[in-house]
Amino acid sequence: MFDSHQQPPTLSSSPRRLRQACTAGEFLVTAEVMPPKGGNPAHMVSMAKQLRGRVHAINVTDGSRAVLRMSSLAASTVLLQHGLEPICQMACRDRNVIGLQADLMGAQALGIRNILALTGDPVKAGDHPSARSVFELESVRLLKLIAKLNQGLDFNDKPLTDGATELFVGAAIDPQSQSWSGLQRRFERKLAAGAQFFQSQLISDFDRLEKFMNQIAAGCQRPILAGIFLLKSAKNANFINRNVPGVFIPQSIIDRLEQAADPLDEGITIAAEQVRMAKQLCQGVHIMAVRREDLIPEILNRAGISAIGE
């Protein structure tokens, strides 16, 4: 049970496994958990604990799809208190430049070191469509802001009188973007703005991923993690095709799920196959198994990915 009186780790004990693995050139594995929709983090913690020793860090989403959940900063702190290394996603949708800087400095103080800089999904896509968006910054400008904070300066180039941050920042990419020139431009801007690693959106076209790795990301010296999504059924795959822009699950995969005696087990097998394909192309995978994070170790087992440190 979560102990609300437990103190967060000291700065000296802040986990840096992800940063060290990036530097060492290891094959990286990250996974994603959703913060609770309410004040009790027990289920999130239960799911995240099952990833211990199998992933380098755990992404904590920040209002994904503009749906209300506990703040990523608070949820990341909870994971850290349980000895799990978080990647705190931070979106520009809900905060102005003051709020973003305040939360980033707060992350530093709490021992959170990994940040994924995001623009954020549009409010109209979520469960509070009449809420007011902020979007004072977008992901590239947020990356530049974090670089300033790491140098001991605020947004206005004023010194941080109580110390610089030491944040390890990543960015999102979509190798399946319809605009190849736009994809290249955004990637190069994020790279120049200081992104240290990249996590991709759900990958269904691995030929497209290979082209991205060879033509855009080649020589960037930053790890690219391919997004792997656990499909639970043909219905789930069709829902994604209808509702997730830029993603197309091939009919061959939908047919496999539809014809399987156990669609969930077949989904695990498909995800494992995709992990193996990604390993031939890039330096890591980012696994998304919405509400079934407990199955991620089995995906990794079937893909032949050993526990971290083995």
Side-chain angles (χ1 to χ4, degrees), residues 122-299:
V123 162
K124 292 189 183 300
D127 58 355
H128 287 65
S130 62
R132 183 174 298 177
S133 300
V134 180
F135 289 122
E136 184 176 358
L137 302 184
E138 44 70 50
S139 58
V140 174
R141 294 180 69 199
L142 177 55
L143 287 165
K144 292 178 179 178
L145 172 60
I146 294 170
K148 280 190 175 186
L149 296 177
N150 283 346
Q151 295 164 11
L153 301 172
D154 69 10
F155 181 75
N156 295 317
D157 292 321
K158 302 294 184 183
L160 299 177
T161 56
D162 292 305
T165 60
E166 299 176 25
L167 301 172
F168 188 64
V169 61
I173 52 165
D174 183 7
Q176 296 170 157
S177 170
Q178 294 301 305
S179 171
W180 195 249
S181 61
L183 171 61
Q184 181 167 4
R185 183 168 57 253
R186 291 285 290 174
F187 179 76
E188 291 174 350
R189 289 180 65 202
K190 290 180 179 182
L191 195 61
Q196 298 298 307
F197 64 94
F198 292 87
Q199 293 175 324
S200 91
Q201 307 288 1
L202 183 165
I203 296 292
S204 57
D205 185 343
F206 284 81
D207 290 338
R208 184 79 168 181
L209 175 63
E210 183 175 18
K211 182 180 177 183
F212 169 80
M213 294 301 301
N214 290 336
Q215 297 187 14
I216 293 180
C220 73
Q221 303 300 312
R222 296 291 185 271
I224 310 294
L225 283 71
I228 307 295
F229 192 91
L230 173 61
L231 296 167
K232 305 177 188 70
S233 65
K235 180 180 178 181
N236 181 211
N238 283 318
F239 176 86
I240 289 171
N241 278 347
R242 288 195 307 270
N243 295 284
V244 180
V247 173
F248 177 73
I249 309 298
Q251 188 61 44
S252 59
I253 288 181
I254 295 174
D255 290 343
R256 282 180 63 179
L257 292 164
E258 201 159 40
Q259 295 164 13
D262 185 342
L264 180 58
D265 187 74
E266 186 68 14
I268 294 171
T269 297
I270 292 168
E273 291 170 359
Q274 293 177 336
V275 170
R276 288 195 294 270
M277 286 190 286
K279 193 173 183 182
Q280 302 304 311
L281 300 174
C282 56
Q283 196 187 326
V285 288
H286 175 60
I287 304 179
M288 295 161 277
V290 180
R291 298 187 181 89
R292 290 309 309 264
E293 294 86 355
D294 57 306
L295 296 176
I296 290 174
E298 179 60 21
I299 293 171

